[in-house]
Amino acid sequence: MEEWGKTAQEKWEGNAGSWHSRSEEMWLTGSRKQILPFVEKHVKKASHIGDLGCGDGAGSHLLRQAGYEVTGMDFSNNMIEFAKRYEGDDLRFVQGDLTSMPFRDHAFNGVMAINSIEWVEDPLKALKEVERVVVPGGHIVIGLLGPTAHPRENAFPRLTGGKAVCNTMMPWELVKLSNELGWEAVDEEWVFKKGVKGDAITGLDPELKQALSFMTLFMFTSSG
């Protein structure tokens, strides 16, 4: 693993306990509550989904409860230790790197990567790995942080010659990369920051909604 990856991994090894204490609430009532309905709208039940950057496994667990077979992967060993508490029928977890995943080609009917592309130095390499492990035409769900989301502060040290631990890829850049990979855009939703009112965003172009969002959810289908 390259130096960037080691540094990001170390950060999440240290944050695993704090994340675990808040994770289930985020998935059920917080910033991640839109994700499961977004997946269910497009991906057939009983599909095998790879949760790439699964953290403590709470989202994977909820996907399994909703009727999917799920394999979760995270680069933090401490996160995987928390996640393994959820393991059972059709739900398992492995440690791995998003840019070099321990899965065979076309292992999944669909994949989900929520706020995980941000933590790799080479997003295009990660997206090519995502395409490799999903079946041709399979669904790809990506949640990408908005431009003002708090975790992006981890990229700030780059401005003073320090080590960045988070890339600065914007939602519109993900769309551009997906076009270059030949992916088809199927759907898009936005998780807005607190204080953004519904009437303030009505009629706005997707690019402006992305700019106001805490996170943009994308649904693609892979090429092939």
Side-chain angles (χ1 to χ4, degrees):
M1 185 184 294
E2 297 177 355
E3 186 61 31
W4 171 299
K6 290 180 181 178
T7 306
Q9 182 184 29
E10 289 169 0
K11 175 180 176 60
W12 282 105
E13 297 289 12
N15 285 353
S18 174
W19 179 268
H20 180 61
S21 70
R22 300 175 286 118
S23 178
E24 186 171 311
E25 180 183 356
M26 285 190 287
W27 280 96
L28 293 175
T29 63
S31 61
R32 296 188 168 206
K33 67 181 180 182
Q34 294 174 224
I35 297 172
L36 185 56
F38 188 66
V39 172
E40 290 182 290
K41 184 165 61 170
H42 297 284
V43 185
K44 292 189 299 185
K45 297 296 177 69
S47 296
H48 188 188
I49 294 179
D51 186 1
L52 311 178
C54 65
D56 72 332
S60 302
H61 172 62
L62 291 172
L63 281 172
R64 174 65 193 96
Q65 287 188 326
Y68 298 97
E69 178 184 355
V70 185
T71 298
M73 185 200 79
D74 201 89
F75 65 173
S76 164
N77 287 295
N78 289 339
M79 287 288 198
I80 292 299
E81 286 304 308
F82 282 118
K84 284 187 174 180
R85 302 177 188 185
Y86 293 114
E87 277 192 330
D89 292 343
D90 293 332
L91 177 59
R92 70 184 187 98
F93 296 96
V94 298
Q95 193 275 340
D97 183 343
L98 194 59
T99 61
S100 182
M101 289 187 274
F103 305 122
R104 61 177 173 79
D105 293 357
H106 312 320
F108 305 111
N109 304 112
V111 295
M112 180 173 79
I114 305 300
N115 301 156
S116 55
I117 300 295
E118 284 86 355
W119 302 98
V120 300
E121 186 173 11
D122 188 341
L124 180 58
K125 185 176 181 181
L127 294 177
K128 287 180 177 179
E129 269 290 274
V130 166
E131 183 171 53
R132 180 184 69 79
V133 301
V134 72
V135 298
H139 286 87
I140 298 169
V141 183
I142 295 179
L144 197 70
L145 292 173
T148 61
H150 179 72
R152 288 196 176 277
E153 290 186 3
N154 291 283
F156 182 80
R158 79 192 192 285
L159 300 178
T160 55
K163 291 182 180 178
V165 194
C166 182
N167 69 58
T168 58
M169 186 169 70
M170 294 293 106
W172 67 266
E173 291 176 311
L174 173 60
V175 172
K176 187 170 182 177
L177 288 179
S178 74
N179 289 337
E180 292 179 4
L181 290 167
W183 296 359
E184 180 182 354
V186 176
D187 200 0
E188 184 174 339
E189 286 188 10
W190 305 272
V191 179
F192 291 106
K193 301 183 76 169
K194 292 180 180 179
V196 177
K197 305 297 183 182
D199 57 357
I201 60 172
T202 301
L204 293 181
D205 290 337
E207 291 83 359
L208 292 175
K209 290 181 179 179
Q210 292 171 7
L212 291 171
S213 70
F214 169 78
M215 175 172 60
T216 302
L217 297 173
F218 295 96
M219 179 71 69
F220 303 105
T221 53
S222 67
S223 60

